[in-house]
Amino acid sequence: MQRLLAFIKQIYVVLIFVLIEGVALWCYATSTPYTEAKILSRTSAVGGAVSGMVTDVKHFFSLSDKNRDLTARVAHLEEMLASRIADEGIDIDSLSSMMNARTELAYRYYPARVVSLTSSKLRNYLVIDRGADDGIAANMGVITPDRALVGYVVSCSPRYSVVMPVLNEKFRIGGSLAENNYTGSVRWSGTSTHHVDLIDLSTYADPRLGMAVEVRSERLPEGILIGHIDDFEFNATQTAYRARLHLAVDISRLDNVIVVENSHYGEIEGLMETMD
Amino acid sequence: MYKYISYVWLMVAVLVAQIFLLDNISIHLWLRPMIFPLVILLLPMEWRALWVMLIALLTGLLMDISLGGAGLYVASLLPLALLRSTLMYLATNRVVEASDQTSLLSRLSLRQLMTYLALALLLHHALFFLLETLSLAHPLRLVATILFSTLLSTVVAWPIVRIFVGKVLGR
């Protein structure tokens, strides 16, 4: 014990330095979204590699489950395809031309795996194992394989990217009611990791409990589910609805995700900037 | 007692000059003079590192509050307080003794004093600009900013150092 105390006495200045420097760096890192994302992407290059190895081991042991799910999905898709061919008389040539046409569409999809995430803070982020070298760039949308909204990319290193998920107080995206296309703004109030708010929804929208809300954004294609309405009410000034949505995705259990690139995004942004 | 009051005046003068004058002068994107590390660099070398660190913390906090650094100034100034003696050894080959009661700074040659000052400012500016940009996307611009700003800071700080060491510590 005396040796330990003597040792601490020898290095106490360094310990105090590390403590104060750590607090100062933490304050600086969390002061703006830019520093937060930058430091997270820098640390993700190291931390991501370690987390990646751990995730690889986990994935190895869950391969059989994934394989079973994929097989089931392939079977389901084949069944749907066969059914459509039988119902609508689609021949292989027209199917091929349809697929060629699809590749010319605006969206490209990149599968990725989540290597680390937070879900207990007001500003949560997650790190995925695809970066600028894989064609990922800031502002690309991120969804789950079953087409539920996760968030969008805010920063990239060569091999990793930082995603701002829907569970971040800075997150904003358009959301529209699937049944009638009335659109509002989706944001997270930080009160529950399973709920977000849809605000500024028109008084003509006629929301109902359980109604699906989908993404309305230039980052993502149509049909991406955000969640379902759990509760709704007029806002304080009675000029719009405020709906509480139960998220379609459990952010804290994310594993595989899909990054979506809209190749027309830059053009749309450029056009919007000319309006400002 | 006279010297301690001189250190307080030095701190006030340097911080006022930094906050109200140097930070409002826009010379060039690559030229940002910062002389507030002088508060730490000119403290008696024989002082215990803990006291120097606490003064660095106070100085950094005042800068952060005044200029909205959110911890950036403290984080870049604190290593200087810890490594001051090492920098002095590198610049002058002199080891600082805790029992040294006479001011080591006033016994340095001008060349040694200049080397110590430039080395310390270079370390501080490198830390500051690295933390500020948090990016190595433009390494040449970063290096140029660090080098040119260090050069300008050294030029601006040199008369203050000469006057303080010569007139105050030299008495």
Side-chain angles (χ1 to χ4, degrees):
Chain A
M1 187 66 184
Q2 276 185 339
R3 281 186 180 179
L4 179 67
L5 287 174
F7 178 68
I8 291 173
K9 201 175 173 183
Q10 272 184 338
I11 61 159
Y12 79 102
V13 173
V14 178
L15 288 178
I16 292 170
F17 166 77
V18 171
L19 182 73
I20 302 174
E21 187 76 3
V23 171
L25 286 174
W26 180 80
C27 288
Y28 176 58
T30 55
S31 62
T32 63
Y34 171 78
T35 53
E36 203 168 8
K38 273 286 181 184
I39 287 178
L40 196 62
S41 70
R42 288 281 164 268
T43 51
S44 70
V46 180
V50 176
S51 303
M53 281 191 282
V54 174
T55 314
D56 282 345
V57 174
K58 279 184 185 171
H59 271 263
F60 177 76
F61 288 108
S62 65
L63 275 179
S64 60
D65 289 343
K66 302 275 180 203
N67 199 24
R68 193 174 58 236
D69 292 346
L70 283 172
T71 309
R73 185 158 177 78
V74 168
H76 176 65
L77 289 172
E78 280 184 349
E79 195 178 329
M80 279 175 63
L81 183 64
S83 161
R84 283 200 65 184
I85 290 172
D87 291 350
E88 300 174 22
I90 301 170
D91 59 23
I92 296 302
D93 288 340
S94 63
L95 191 63
S96 172
S97 64
M98 275 171 66
M99 290 181 77
N100 285 338
R102 285 191 69 80
T103 57
E104 289 169 15
L105 291 176
Y107 295 98
R108 293 196 191 97
Y109 298 84
Y110 305 87
R113 193 186 294 165
V114 176
V115 292
S116 68
L117 61 84
T118 61
S119 60
S120 58
K121 301 174 181 173
L122 271 177
R123 291 181 189 172
N124 295 296
Y125 291 96
L126 52 98
V127 179
I128 57 174
D129 66 348
R130 293 284 180 273
D133 288 351
D134 304 294
I136 308 295
N139 283 314
M140 287 186 182
V142 181
I143 59 175
T144 61
D146 50 354
R147 296 175 73 80
L149 174 70
V150 173
Y152 53 82
V153 176
V154 289
S155 177
C156 296
S157 65
R159 285 177 293 174
Y160 296 94
S161 299
V162 179
V163 176
M164 183 191 286
V166 68
L167 298 185
N168 185 308
E169 63 170 0
K170 296 283 181 188
F171 185 89
R172 301 283 184 274
I173 203 162
S176 62
L177 301 183
E179 287 184 21
N180 57 24
N181 284 335
Y182 276 103
T183 302
S185 176
V186 173
R187 58 188 59 193
W188 185 51
S189 60
T191 53
S192 161
T193 54
H194 297 290
H195 293 89
V196 291
D197 295 325
L198 175 65
I199 62 168
D200 298 334
L201 190 62
S202 166
T203 50
Y204 299 104
D206 189 25
R208 289 191 301 278
L209 294 181
M211 197 181 261
V213 176
E214 296 178 346
V215 172
R216 177 64 67 91
S217 167
E218 62 273 25
R219 291 189 179 97
L220 289 162
E222 287 181 5
I224 304 299
L225 186 65
I226 299 174
H228 296 88
I229 295 178
D230 245 10
D231 189 18
F232 63 90
E233 59 184 5
F234 277 119
N235 65 8
T237 52
Q238 307 273 312
T239 51
Y241 278 113
R242 180 188 189 95
R244 187 169 166 80
L245 311 182
H246 191 277
L247 282 171
V249 63
D250 184 351
I251 297 285
S252 60
R253 292 184 59 198
L254 275 179
D255 188 5
N256 291 301
V257 292
I258 294 170
V259 182
V260 185
E261 176 190 4
N262 181 357
S263 53
H264 298 172
Y265 182 80
E267 187 180 334
I268 298 168
E269 281 294 289
L271 200 57
M272 292 300 289
E273 277 172 18
T274 61
M275 304 301 292
D276 294 335
Chain B
M1 188 63 189
Y2 164 74
K3 282 184 180 170
Y4 289 121
I5 294 170
S6 304
Y7 284 115
V8 174
W9 278 116
L10 172 75
M11 185 174 180
V12 171
V14 165
L15 291 187
V16 166
Q18 182 69 54
I19 294 165
F20 294 105
L21 184 66
L22 295 176
D23 255 67
N24 292 312
I25 297 175
S26 178
I27 306 168
H28 189 278
L29 201 63
W30 293 1
L31 286 172
R32 284 176 56 189
M34 286 185 281
I35 59 166
F36 64 91
L38 286 186
V39 175
I40 306 306
L41 298 179
L42 294 181
L43 285 175
M45 294 303 297
E46 63 276 12
W47 273 22
R48 292 171 67 180
L50 181 64
W51 295 114
V52 181
M53 257 197 309
L54 289 176
I55 293 171
L57 175 63
L58 176 69
T59 310
L61 275 177
L62 286 171
M63 293 296 296
D64 276 323
I65 292 165
S66 307
L67 301 173
L72 174 62
Y73 288 92
V74 172
S76 59
L77 198 56
L78 217 58
L80 218 54
L82 190 74
L83 299 173
R84 215 169 52 124
S85 301
T86 311
L87 291 170
M88 174 60 79
Y89 179 75
L90 287 173
T92 66
N93 213 21
R94 286 178 190 234
V95 179
V96 180
E97 299 289 345
S99 57
D100 197 350
Q101 292 301 307
T102 55
S103 176
L104 177 60
L105 288 170
S106 63
R107 286 185 279 127
L108 296 179
S109 68
L110 288 182
R111 188 174 175 168
Q112 286 175 325
L113 195 59
M114 172 70 92
T115 313
Y116 165 66
L117 178 69
L119 205 59
L121 288 176
L122 180 66
L123 172 70
H124 171 265
H125 285 36
L127 279 171
F128 183 91
F129 288 119
L130 267 173
L131 281 173
E132 191 185 50
T133 54
L134 288 172
S135 169
L136 295 174
H138 305 285
L140 280 178
R141 196 161 71 188
L142 181 66
V143 170
T145 308
I146 292 169
L147 291 180
F148 290 138
S149 296
T150 301
L151 194 66
L152 182 63
S153 300
T154 309
V155 170
V156 175
W158 183 241
I160 303 170
V161 174
R162 283 294 307 275
I163 292 168
F164 190 79
V165 172
K167 303 282 183 191
V168 180
L169 301 184
R171 287 191 179 197

